[in-house]
Coordinates of all heavy atoms in Angstrom, one line a residue:
M38 N -16.1 9.0 -5.2 CA -15.6 8.7 -6.5 C -14.1 8.6 -6.5 O -13.4 9.5 -5.9 CB -16.0 9.8 -7.5 CG -17.5 10.2 -7.4 SD -18.6 8.8 -7.7 CE -18.4 8.5 -9.5
C58 N -12.2 4.6 -12.9 CA -13.0 5.3 -11.9 C -14.0 4.3 -11.3 O -14.5 3.4 -11.9 CB -13.9 6.4 -12.6 SG -14.9 7.4 -11.4
Y60 N -16.8 3.9 -7.7 CA -17.6 4.6 -6.7 C -17.9 3.7 -5.5 O -17.9 2.5 -5.7 CB -18.9 5.2 -7.3 CG -19.9 4.1 -7.6 CD1 -20.8 3.6 -6.7 CD2 -20.0 3.6 -8.9 CE1 -21.7 2.6 -7.0 CE2 -20.9 2.6 -9.2 CZ -21.8 2.1 -8.3 OH -22.7 1.1 -8.6
N68 N -30.6 5.1 -8.3 CA -30.6 6.1 -9.5 C -29.4 7.0 -9.4 O -29.5 8.2 -9.6 CB -31.9 6.9 -9.5 CG -33.1 6.0 -9.8 OD1 -33.1 5.0 -10.5 ND2 -34.3 6.4 -9.2
L69 N -28.2 6.3 -9.2 CA -27.0 7.1 -9.2 C -26.7 7.6 -10.6 O -26.6 6.9 -11.6 CB -25.8 6.2 -8.8 CG -24.4 6.7 -8.9 CD1 -24.2 7.9 -8.0 CD2 -23.4 5.6 -8.6
Y70 N -26.5 8.9 -10.7 CA -26.2 9.5 -12.0 C -24.7 9.7 -12.0 O -24.1 10.2 -11.0 CB -26.9 10.9 -12.1 CG -26.4 11.7 -13.4 CD1 -26.8 11.3 -14.6 CD2 -25.4 12.7 -13.2 CE1 -26.3 12.0 -15.8 CE2 -25.0 13.4 -14.3 CZ -25.4 13.0 -15.6 OH -24.9 13.7 -16.7
F71 N -24.0 9.3 -13.1 CA -22.6 9.6 -13.3 C -22.3 10.0 -14.7 O -23.1 9.7 -15.6 CB -21.8 8.3 -12.9 CG -21.8 7.2 -14.0 CD1 -20.9 7.2 -15.0 CD2 -22.8 6.3 -14.0 CE1 -20.9 6.2 -16.0 CE2 -22.9 5.3 -15.0 CZ -21.9 5.3 -16.0
N72 N -21.2 10.7 -14.8 CA -20.7 11.0 -16.2 C -19.2 11.2 -16.2 O -18.6 11.4 -15.1 CB -21.4 12.3 -16.7 CG -21.1 13.5 -15.9 OD1 -20.0 13.7 -15.5 ND2 -22.1 14.4 -15.8
W73 N -18.6 11.2 -17.4 CA -17.2 11.6 -17.6 C -17.2 12.9 -18.4 O -18.0 13.1 -19.3 CB -16.5 10.6 -18.4 CG -15.9 9.4 -17.6 CD1 -16.5 8.2 -17.3 CD2 -14.6 9.4 -16.9 NE1 -15.7 7.4 -16.5 CE2 -14.6 8.1 -16.3 CE3 -13.6 10.3 -16.8 CZ2 -13.4 7.7 -15.6 CZ3 -12.5 9.9 -16.1 CH2 -12.4 8.6 -15.5
Q74 N -16.4 13.9 -17.9 CA -16.3 15.1 -18.6 C -14.8 15.4 -18.9 O -13.9 15.0 -18.2 CB -16.8 16.3 -17.7 CG -18.3 16.1 -17.3 CD -18.8 17.1 -16.3 OE1 -18.6 18.3 -16.6 NE2 -19.3 16.7 -15.2
K83 N -18.9 16.9 -22.2 CA -19.4 15.6 -21.7 C -18.9 14.5 -22.6 O -19.0 14.6 -23.8 CB -20.9 15.6 -21.6 CG -21.5 14.4 -20.8 CD -23.0 14.4 -20.7 CE -23.4 15.6 -19.9 NZ -24.9 15.6 -19.7
C85 N -19.4 10.9 -21.6 CA -20.5 9.9 -21.5 C -21.2 10.1 -20.2 O -20.7 10.8 -19.3 CB -19.9 8.5 -21.6 SG -18.9 8.0 -20.1
D86 N -22.4 9.5 -20.1 CA -23.2 9.6 -18.9 C -24.2 8.5 -18.9 O -24.5 7.8 -19.9 CB -23.8 10.9 -18.7 CG -25.0 11.2 -19.7 OD1 -25.1 10.4 -20.6 OD2 -25.7 12.2 -19.5
S87 N -24.8 8.2 -17.6 CA -25.8 7.2 -17.5 C -26.3 7.3 -16.1 O -25.8 8.0 -15.2 CB -25.2 5.8 -17.7 OG -26.2 4.8 -17.6
V88 N -27.4 6.5 -15.8 CA -28.0 6.4 -14.5 C -28.0 4.9 -14.1 O -28.4 4.0 -14.9 CB -29.4 6.9 -14.5 CG1 -30.1 6.7 -13.1 CG2 -29.4 8.4 -14.8
I89 N -27.5 4.6 -12.9 CA -27.5 3.2 -12.4 C -28.6 3.1 -11.4 O -28.6 3.7 -10.3 CB -26.1 2.9 -11.7 CG1 -25.0 3.1 -12.7 CG2 -26.1 1.5 -11.2 CD1 -23.6 2.9 -12.0
P96 N -25.4 -0.4 -16.4 CA -26.1 0.8 -16.9 C -26.1 0.9 -18.4 O -25.2 0.3 -19.1 CB -25.3 1.9 -16.3 CG -23.9 1.4 -16.2 CD -24.1 -0.1 -15.8
E97 N -27.0 1.6 -19.0 CA -27.0 1.9 -20.4 C -26.4 3.3 -20.6 O -26.9 4.3 -20.3 CB -28.4 1.9 -21.0 CG -29.1 0.5 -20.9 CD -30.5 0.5 -21.5 OE1 -30.9 1.6 -22.0 OE2 -31.2 -0.5 -21.4
V98 N -25.1 3.3 -21.2 CA -24.3 4.5 -21.2 C -24.4 5.1 -22.6 O -24.4 4.5 -23.6 CB -22.9 4.1 -20.9 CG1 -22.0 5.4 -20.9 CG2 -22.7 3.4 -19.6
T99 N -24.6 6.5 -22.5 CA -24.6 7.3 -23.7 C -23.2 7.9 -24.0 O -22.7 8.5 -23.1 CB -25.6 8.4 -23.6 OG1 -26.9 7.8 -23.4 CG2 -25.7 9.2 -24.9
F107 N -17.2 2.5 -23.0 CA -17.5 2.3 -21.6 C -17.2 0.8 -21.2 O -17.7 -0.1 -21.9 CB -18.9 2.6 -21.2 CG -19.3 2.4 -19.8 CD1 -18.9 3.3 -18.8 CD2 -20.0 1.3 -19.4 CE1 -19.2 3.1 -17.5 CE2 -20.3 1.1 -18.0 CZ -19.9 2.0 -17.1
K110 N -19.1 -1.6 -16.8 CA -20.2 -2.6 -16.7 C -20.7 -2.7 -15.3 O -21.4 -3.6 -14.9 CB -19.6 -4.0 -17.1 CG -18.9 -4.0 -18.5 CD -19.8 -3.6 -19.6 CE -19.1 -3.6 -21.0 NZ -19.9 -3.1 -22.1
N111 N -20.3 -1.7 -14.4 CA -20.8 -1.7 -13.0 C -20.3 -2.9 -12.2 O -20.9 -3.2 -11.1 CB -22.3 -1.6 -12.9 CG -22.7 -1.1 -11.5 OD1 -22.0 -0.4 -10.9 ND2 -23.9 -1.4 -11.1
N115 N -17.5 -0.3 -10.9 CA -16.5 0.2 -11.8 C -17.3 0.9 -13.0 O -18.1 0.4 -13.6 CB -15.7 -1.0 -12.4 CG -14.5 -0.5 -13.2 OD1 -14.4 0.7 -13.6 ND2 -13.5 -1.4 -13.4
I116 N -16.8 2.2 -13.2 CA -17.4 3.0 -14.3 C -16.3 3.6 -15.2 O -16.3 4.7 -15.5 CB -18.4 4.1 -13.8 CG1 -17.7 4.9 -12.7 CG2 -19.6 3.5 -13.2 CD1 -18.5 6.1 -12.2
S117 N -15.3 2.8 -15.4 CA -14.1 3.2 -16.2 C -14.5 3.3 -17.7 O -15.4 2.7 -18.2 CB -12.9 2.3 -16.0 OG -12.7 2.1 -14.6
I118 N -13.6 4.0 -18.4 CA -13.8 4.1 -19.9 C -12.5 3.9 -20.6 O -11.4 4.0 -20.0 CB -14.4 5.5 -20.3 CG1 -13.4 6.6 -19.8 CG2 -15.7 5.7 -19.7 CD1 -13.8 8.0 -20.3
C133 N -14.4 12.4 -13.4 CA -15.4 11.3 -13.1 C -16.4 11.9 -12.1 O -16.0 12.1 -10.9 CB -14.8 10.1 -12.6 SG -15.9 8.7 -12.3
F134 N -17.7 12.1 -12.4 CA -18.6 12.8 -11.6 C -19.8 11.8 -11.2 O -20.2 10.9 -12.0 CB -19.2 14.0 -12.4 CG -20.4 14.6 -11.7 CD1 -20.2 15.7 -10.8 CD2 -21.7 14.2 -12.0 CE1 -21.2 16.3 -10.2 CE2 -22.8 14.9 -11.4 CZ -22.5 15.9 -10.5
G135 N -20.2 12.0 -10.0 CA -21.4 11.2 -9.5 C -22.3 11.9 -8.6 O -21.9 12.8 -7.8
R136 N -23.6 11.5 -8.6 CA -24.6 12.2 -7.8 C -25.6 11.1 -7.4 O -26.2 10.5 -8.2 CB -25.3 13.3 -8.5 CG -26.3 14.1 -7.6 CD -26.8 15.4 -8.2 NE -27.5 15.1 -9.5 CZ -27.1 15.5 -10.7 NH1 -26.0 16.3 -10.8 NH2 -27.8 15.2 -11.8
N137 N -25.8 10.9 -6.0 CA -26.6 9.9 -5.5 C -27.9 10.5 -4.9 O -27.7 11.2 -3.8 CB -25.9 9.0 -4.5 CG -26.7 7.9 -4.0 OD1 -27.7 7.5 -4.6 ND2 -26.2 7.2 -2.9

Side-chain angles (χ1 to χ4, degrees):
M38 313 299 290
C58 185
Y60 68 87
N68 295 326
L69 170 67
Y70 172 77
F71 76 91
N72 66 37
W73 276 93
Q74 302 175 54
K83 192 177 294 185
C85 67
D86 69 350
S87 184
V88 174
I89 304 176
E97 296 181 2
V98 181
T99 303
F107 179 77
K110 310 300 182 185
N111 199 27
N115 192 341
I116 51 176
S117 306
I118 60 174
C133 181
F134 171 88
R136 183 172 61 242
N137 186 15

